[in-house]
Amino acid sequence: MLAANKEKSNPLSSRRDVVAALNAMLGALDKQFPQESSRFSLGDTCAHYATDIAQMEGLSRALWGLFPLMASGDATPFGDKYITAIKRGTDPQSADYWGETAPYDQRLVEMAAYGLGLSLLRDKLTARFSERELQNLHAWLNQITDAQMPDSNWNYFAIMVQLGFKCAGLPFDQGAIDRRFAMMDEYYLGDGWYSDGPGRPKDYYISMAFHFYGLIYATLSGDEERAVLLRDRARQFADDFIYMSAADGASIPFGRSLTYRFAMVAFWSAVAFSELDVFTPGIVKGVILRHLRWWQQQPILDRDGILTLGFSYPNLAMCEDYNSPGSPYWALKTYLILALEEGSPFWLAEEQSLPERAEKHLIPNAQQIITHADASQHATLLTAGQLELNNYVNTEAKYTKFAYSSRFGFTIERGRFGLKHAASDSMLLLSDGDNYFRGRRDCEEVRVDENFIFSRWSPWHDVHIDTWLVPFGEWHLRLHRINSARTLQTVEGGFAVIKTEHRLQERGCYLNAENGSSVIIDLSPVITRVPDSIVTPPNSSIMFAECASIPVLSTEIPVGESWLCSAVTASGIQKNYAITPQLHINNNQVVIHEPGSERQMAFFI
């Protein structure tokens, strides 16, 4: 990634450092960018759209970094080349024309970057186009105004284009803006949260799309009434989203499109850009810069300095159908902070650590609980899964595991047969005697309580499982009440760590690995499960390329009602966990306590 990723030497502490980081990335792209061309190739892998569109996508996503840099008046050696590319790409008479768009077209997605450029640069950009060239640009972008597209965050692409037209003094359609906002208001959930379309996921798209674009609109549009609403929603969201960041700069990986990498904190860049009154500029600055430093330490570049497909290392197996070689450059949204000049409150502020946060934070609208209880300061997300799911690549791994960690991430399924490939970390998997395993996917009911997250799910039509996830200090407890019409084999996993030898003790499996420790302990009231560990194939973890070890508990359950309970924890340091939680279920009351400690809780289920 950043300025000198191979040397990892950029301190990323000042605006000058961040400019150097961006220019290093743009310089690597420039070597793949032919003169007098409107697109460039960054690799030979494919997305579900045509290769020439993917090549236009890569070029367009670079503009999320370039336009803010140009807007602040910084000199850049790359600007002229991109302006020429835009002129050629929007000229119907050019052999490099980007073409007419179709419904649900990927080119509609990329138009938002041009809306940003027009909004930030205004006549500084339009002055570089002749009258005919400007007409071509307007006509090409205007295809999005009434385009058929997914009813989701895509609506913001049309808004960003119209915002660009308005700010640059070009003909714009306020009615189109109003219609798109009205559509998105239909899936506003409250407290700053949206779903990404009716019944769709609550994931990083809410931060890096809805609120990112919303704060840009609120800052630049002059639409004061709507700006007040958008800023208020973003302010509420910020109080939840701050919990997704860990003290070391990492964020909790969850959901799709993780190959966009440091777009995970693009929301905070929009907060800084809009001077939204949440936290201090120094806290916001710290979140962003620590995050960029964290990514600087990850092997995410190829030998030419190009961002790879994957998460913390190159990994095609976890990518989406819509990830082309240029897709990762949506990460450059985070460089919106470069539109702020050196003398802005953000850049003048001293970098600060994260604010004091509660050990446990409930987010009912996202069906999540986030904890920050471990001494190693990593963040853990407990989730009830999703009531409705689109069929993304590795959907269950990305959305429906019980827990996600900023340090340990999650593993992806590499095959459904047998446990080795089944991504058993933070899952309860069940098999009907055939070694094919099923876990939680869609949920029939989801509820967030002060003490737990509840979900009801049915891996077969005659197997119904009620699951309670209970945060308890550095642990979380899992309670599963299973009503089954068939005998089933079950395996439940803790967090995945780099491959290591396990230690079995009493009813638990303990792993101390190079990157930390992971433990799962059986607390089932009647059934006793067998502790063990599973070694996954390389490239199954999104956090590290090595084989992973997962601590597991296994047993067979009979027809009828069964209870399976466990305590799970993980830490970035190696620990022995001499004291573990105790669990008692009496009728409908659950009592949890930690021996030798005052920590205890009781609740009804």
Side-chain angles (χ1 to χ4, degrees):
M1 189 188 85
L2 311 165
N5 181 255
K6 293 178 181 178
E7 295 82 15
K8 307 184 190 303
S9 59
N10 187 333
L12 290 168
S13 295
S14 67
R15 188 177 184 280
R16 181 182 300 176
D17 295 337
V18 178
V19 169
L22 175 61
N23 278 328
M25 297 187 76
L26 294 175
L29 290 176
D30 191 64
K31 294 175 183 176
Q32 313 300 322
F33 188 174
Q35 290 287 347
E36 304 297 319
S37 177
S38 69
R39 51 178 65 89
F40 49 69
S41 173
L42 296 178
D44 296 320
T45 58
C46 289
H48 65 71
Y49 38 90
T51 298
D52 62 336
I53 294 176
Q55 293 174 352
M56 171 266 178
E57 174 191 32
L59 180 144
S60 300
R61 295 197 172 189
L63 298 172
W64 288 103
L66 183 63
F67 280 148
L69 191 63
M70 294 171 65
S72 63
D74 287 73
T76 171
F78 310 110
D80 290 345
K81 202 171 184 180
Y82 282 89
I83 297 300
T84 298
I86 295 169
K87 292 176 181 179
R88 295 175 68 89
T90 56
D91 182 359
Q93 306 305 314
S94 169
D96 284 334
Y97 181 51
W98 289 330
E100 307 300 309
T101 61
Y104 305 98
D105 198 303
Q106 183 66 27
R107 286 166 289 192
L108 301 173
V109 177
E110 309 317 320
M111 288 182 182
Y114 301 91
L116 176 73
L118 289 167
S119 301
L120 291 176
L121 290 161
R122 307 189 180 204
D123 58 358
K124 292 180 184 177
L125 183 59
T126 56
R128 303 181 69 165
F129 290 73
S130 69
E131 183 176 350
R132 185 181 69 83
E133 290 167 341
L134 199 56
Q135 289 174 350
N136 287 341
L137 175 63
H138 185 274
W140 187 80
L141 290 172
N142 204 40
Q143 294 179 91
I144 200 172
T145 302
D146 295 307
Q148 187 177 1
M149 62 179 72
D151 187 12
S152 67
N153 73 90
W154 282 47
N155 286 305
Y156 255 121
F157 305 146
I159 292 171
M160 288 295 293
V161 167
Q162 295 299 330
L163 175 63
F165 290 164
K166 180 180 181 180
C167 290
L170 301 173
F172 74 100
D173 186 340
Q174 183 64 45
I177 294 174
D178 294 339
R179 288 193 301 274
R180 297 292 181 181
F181 271 119
M183 293 171 74
M184 291 188 293
D185 275 341
E186 290 297 312
Y187 34 90
Y188 181 66
L189 303 172
D191 301 322
W193 280 89
Y194 296 80
S195 61
D196 188 22
R200 286 167 60 92
K202 284 79 69 175
D203 52 23
Y204 275 103
Y205 277 86
I206 313 309
S207 60
M208 69 180 180
F210 285 88
H211 289 298
F212 179 82
Y213 302 129
L215 287 172
I216 292 172
Y217 183 88
T219 304
L220 300 177
S221 66
D223 183 351
E224 292 304 321
E225 182 177 353
R226 183 166 280 130
V228 169
L229 177 67
L230 293 172
R231 291 173 71 86
D232 180 62
R233 290 180 178 179
R235 196 178 293 112
Q236 294 179 69
F237 179 80
D239 289 337
D240 288 333
F241 194 61
I242 192 69
Y243 282 84
M244 294 294 282
S245 293
D248 66 352
S251 294
I252 302 171
F254 171 75
R256 67 208 144 114
S257 299
L258 293 174
T259 198
Y260 301 154
R261 294 187 170 108
F262 38 107
M264 296 168 98
V265 299
F267 168 74
W268 297 112
S269 294
V271 166
F273 173 76
S274 63
E275 298 187 348
L276 189 70
D277 54 337
V278 292
F279 307 113
T280 64
I283 287 175
V284 174
K285 185 177 185 179
V287 171
I288 297 169
L289 296 187
R290 282 190 299 273
H291 190 71
L292 293 178
R293 290 186 205 117
W294 187 88
W295 280 110
Q296 184 175 239
Q297 302 306 311
Q298 313 307 315
I300 58 176
L301 296 180
D302 67 15
R303 64 188 61 187
D304 295 320
I306 301 299
L307 274 174
T308 56
L309 288 159
F311 188 62
S312 65
Y313 65 94
N315 187 356
L316 278 174
M318 48 101 24
C319 291
E320 319 300 342
D321 298 339
Y322 51 81
N323 288 157
S324 79
S327 290
Y329 284 89
W330 229 353
L332 300 193
K333 284 182 171 184
T334 302
Y335 287 101
L336 181 62
I337 52 176
L338 294 182
L340 300 170
E341 296 180 354
E342 193 79 58
S344 69
F346 176 81
W347 289 114
L348 289 176
E350 290 292 326
E351 185 179 328
Q352 293 177 271
S353 59
L354 287 165
E356 184 175 344
R357 295 172 294 178
E359 182 179 275
K360 174 183 70 177
H361 184 74
L362 279 63
I363 310 178
N365 287 304
Q367 293 89 46
Q368 297 170 356
I369 296 177
I370 303 179
T371 65
H372 287 261
D374 181 30
S376 67
Q377 299 182 309
H378 81 279
T380 303
L381 169 71
L382 305 181
T383 177
Q386 305 276 326
L387 286 168
E388 297 179 47
L389 280 178
N390 285 44
N391 193 28
Y392 305 112
V393 176
N394 278 289
T395 288
E396 293 97 326
K398 293 171 180 174
Y399 285 100
T400 69
K401 290 182 185 285
F402 302 133
Y404 296 82
S405 162
S406 64
R407 181 173 292 273
F408 303 106
F410 58 88
T411 69
I412 56 173
E413 186 179 282
R414 302 298 301 277
R416 188 57 59 93
F417 183 80
L419 284 172
K420 183 178 177 67
H421 297 84
S424 60
D425 61 302
S426 298
M427 295 279 271
L428 173 64
L429 300 180
L430 307 100
S431 172
D432 189 13
D434 56 5
N435 217 22
Y436 283 92
F437 286 87
R438 300 186 186 191
R440 184 172 68 170
R441 186 177 168 86
D442 293 340
C443 296
E444 298 147 30
E445 183 182 345
V446 167
R447 188 169 72 251
V448 180
D449 181 87
E450 180 184 354
N451 295 304
F452 57 78
I453 290 179
F454 169 83
S455 63
R456 177 168 292 144
W457 49 290
S458 300
W460 287 269
H461 73 280
D462 55 0
V463 178
H464 309 292
I465 303 176
D466 292 341
T467 292
W468 291 262
L469 303 175
V470 186
F472 189 71
E474 63 183 304
W475 299 82
H476 73 269
L477 277 65
R478 307 175 190 165
L479 289 64
H480 309 288
R481 181 172 58 198
I482 306 172
N483 284 285
S484 176
R486 55 184 82 191
T487 300
L488 295 171
Q489 296 73 50
T490 72
V491 177
E492 184 167 8
F495 292 100
V497 295
I498 292 174
K499 180 182 176 182
T500 188
E501 296 295 324
H502 64 235
R503 178 172 60 88
L504 306 181
Q505 183 175 326
E506 296 180 359
R507 300 172 69 179
C509 179
Y510 299 74
L511 301 177
N512 273 319
E514 175 186 333
N515 63 330
S517 57
S518 177
V519 176
I520 188 168
I521 298 171
D522 184 33
L523 302 179
S524 303
V526 177
I527 294 174
T528 299
R529 292 189 278 180
V530 177
D532 200 355
S533 67
I534 292 169
V535 176
T536 72
N539 308 308
S540 55
S541 169
I542 68 162
M543 301 297 284
F544 50 85
E546 299 96 326
C547 296
S549 287
I550 303 170
V552 297
L553 303 171
S554 303
T555 195
E556 183 172 274
I557 59 171
V559 172
E561 182 176 283
S562 301
W563 279 90
L564 298 179
C565 305
S566 62
V568 178
T569 190
S571 173
I573 59 177
Q574 296 187 354
K575 300 177 68 172
N576 291 323
Y577 300 103
I579 300 175
T580 60
Q582 302 295 310
L583 168 71
H584 303 281
I585 303 175
N586 184 14
N587 294 324
N588 290 327
Q589 186 181 43
V590 175
V591 178
I592 304 169
H593 75 280
E594 188 174 73
S597 166
E598 295 183 0
R599 185 184 293 273
Q600 59 182 346
M601 64 189 304
F603 56 89
F604 289 94
I605 58 175

